[in-house]
Amino acid sequence: MKINVVRSVLKANDAVAQTNRQRLSDARLLAVNVMSAPGSGKTTLLEKTIPALGPQFPCAVLVGDLQTTRDAERLVNLAAHTTQINTGGGCHLTATQVAEGLSGLPLADLAFLFIENVGNMVCPAAFDLGEHVRVALLSMPEGDDKVAKYPTLFQAANVILLTKVDLRGVLDYQIGRVRDDLARINTRAPLIEFSARNGQGLESWLEWLHAQRRQRVGAARDTQVRRETLEAGAR
Amino acid sequence: MKINVVRSVLKANDAVAQTNRQRLSDARLLAVNVMSAPGSGKTTLLEKTIPALGPQFPCAVLVGDLQTTRDAERLVNLAAHTTQINTGGGCHLTATQVAEGLSGLPLADLAFLFIENVGNMVCPAAFDLGEHVRVALLSMPEGDDKVAKYPTLFQAANVILLTKVDLRGVLDYQIGRVRDDLARINTRAPLIEFSARNGQGLESWLEWLHAQRRQRVGAARDTQVRRETLEAGAR
């Protein structure tokens, strides 16, 4: 009985997620679901990413939180569009919440949609939101045992960012443990060492994003056209 | 419909939790539900706490994790009894899982039961396990905005430990923000600044634990008797 309820919730969610993904693909917009524990640096990552992508790649952000608009406030002046989704007590975003968030966005004018999920290493991984790719953040101060202990999140990730690596000197952290644990559950996702403070890994992360956008939503030509249009406008 | 399902699950959980609490109180055993995000230092806190309490206060630990026995392995040589509860994919412990864990323990011989919940700032707070007190950990590298963003956990806490404060020098952290946010939602729980590395806060935390045990399970005399017995045995 309980399992049936859970399954039907997931099934209904997945149907909405498929519709979201189709809308996003039609708009040649790469949708990125950003997931991690609380305080691993999701909002900080976006604060660095959006300006680095530059105005030729307009970004929208949907920010999920239990309450408050603090994360959205940090991003509102950086992204072309920022929408805060408050889940009440909900421990993850749902495809329906994302569908509502999409309804207010000019999808055809955007290059990237970042969906910042609720800070949680467990629940968000079970819910497809209609994204094209999943990013899992793992913060160095959280300790080097988290991949083994919370495998669901890391199994389904397309890329893993090890954040706050500038703290390496003051932490007792064995990155080899993380690589060993990843080798067991996910061999296709690259692991990028990232520091918002000193810029380490930013270039690799941006290259990865652009490559995904080309591969998954065939956006290369579109970007070229967009860039030429912008350059023409600047002249 | 959905709300009814959730409510009945919570109601069933609460009934089991009440039974757990009665069993624990009858044994004059203080049960402590330890909750936080992944990697905030729950296991490390117990690694420091249990030896510091000393053999006159025997401890048992129930450790909740999605999978692996890594946390239990760290505690097995410190606590009198250590039980790992693997939740499968479950994002929190339930009162029924705790009841099963209790069935294997010699409750009358113990002074403290620590229940280390699944690392998650959202879901565990909704489930009473039958504990007497709730401890919320908040790690300094997670950032100073977490109380406002995840209020459920901190509202229901009896004490809040701000962990990894030895990293203060390398982080941009405003403890005033945390105190302001706590003042809005929970004025009764003390905030203890804690570092497992340099021992800061350990004494305050131990004093708090002993005071709670005296107040909530009337354990003062019991402890005295226990100590006298141990001393007699040592002579």
Side-chain angles (χ1 to χ4, degrees), chain B residues 14-31:
Chain B
D14 286 356
V16 179
Q18 285 298 349
T19 309
N20 289 349
R21 187 155 30 243
Q22 194 57 54
R23 286 183 67 189
L24 294 159
S25 297
D26 290 347
R28 290 195 165 180
L29 172 56
L30 187 80

Side-chain angles (χ1 to χ4, degrees), chain A residues 1-2 5 9 37-40 42-43 64-68 70-71 74 89-91 116-123 139 141-146 148-152 164 166-167 170-172 177 181 184 197, chain B residues 1-2 5 9 37-40 42-43 64-68 70-71 74 89-91 116-123 139 141-146 148-152 164 166-167 170-172 177 181 184 197:
Chain A
M1 174 62 183
K2 194 184 160 197
V5 172
V9 167
S40 304
K42 293 182 292 301
T43 312
D65 274 304
L66 301 199
Q67 12 188 314
T68 81
R70 291 192 182 196
D71 287 352
R74 290 169 58 187
C91 56
E116 185 184 328
N117 222 311
V118 176
N120 187 325
M121 262 197 190
V122 188
C123 314
S139 144
E142 287 161 10
D144 53 23
D145 58 351
K146 294 301 167 291
K149 289 177 61 188
Y150 300 86
T152 335
K164 311 194 189 184
D166 52 279
L167 294 176
V170 294
L171 297 173
D172 177 25
R177 284 185 77 183
D181 290 338
R184 273 180 220 108
R197 267 196 186 160
Chain B
M1 175 62 181
K2 195 183 159 196
V5 172
V9 168
S40 303
K42 295 182 291 302
T43 312
D65 274 303
L66 302 199
Q67 11 188 316
T68 81
R70 292 194 182 196
D71 287 354
R74 290 169 58 188
C91 56
E116 185 184 327
N117 221 310
V118 176
N120 187 324
M121 262 196 188
V122 187
C123 314
S139 142
E142 288 161 9
D144 52 23
D145 58 350
K146 294 300 168 292
K149 290 177 61 189
Y150 300 85
T152 336
K164 310 193 190 186
D166 51 278
L167 293 176
V170 294
L171 298 172
D172 178 25
R177 284 186 78 185
D181 290 338
R184 275 181 218 108
R197 268 199 186 159

Side-chain angles (χ1 to χ4, degrees), chain A residues 26-44:
Chain A
D26 290 347
R28 290 195 165 181
L29 172 55
L30 186 81
V32 183
N33 185 354
V34 184
M35 294 183 277
S36 78
S40 304
K42 293 182 292 301
T43 312
T44 303

Side-chain angles (χ1 to χ4, degrees), chain A residues 9-27:
Chain A
V9 167
L10 281 174
K11 207 170 156 187
N13 180 81
D14 286 355
V16 180
Q18 285 298 351
T19 309
N20 289 347
R21 187 155 30 242
Q22 193 58 53
R23 286 183 67 189
L24 295 159
S25 296
D26 290 347

Side-chain angles (χ1 to χ4, degrees), chain B residues 24 27-33 46 49-50 52-62 79-81 102 105-115 132-133 205-217 219 222-223 226-227:
Chain B
L24 294 159
R28 290 195 165 180
L29 172 56
L30 187 80
V32 183
N33 185 353
L46 298 182
T49 303
I50 294 166
L53 285 168
Q56 65 270 44
F57 299 100
C59 298
V61 188
L62 302 179
H81 298 271
L102 293 184
L105 294 175
L107 300 185
D109 299 341
L110 297 168
F112 291 96
L113 171 71
F114 295 102
I115 307 167
H132 296 106
V133 288
W205 159 241
L206 295 175
E207 277 168 24
W208 185 87
L209 280 175
H210 283 300
Q212 294 296 317
R213 184 159 172 268
R214 285 193 298 273
Q215 288 166 30
R216 294 184 191 257
V217 295
D222 172 29
T223 303
R226 197 189 297 272
R227 186 171 293 164

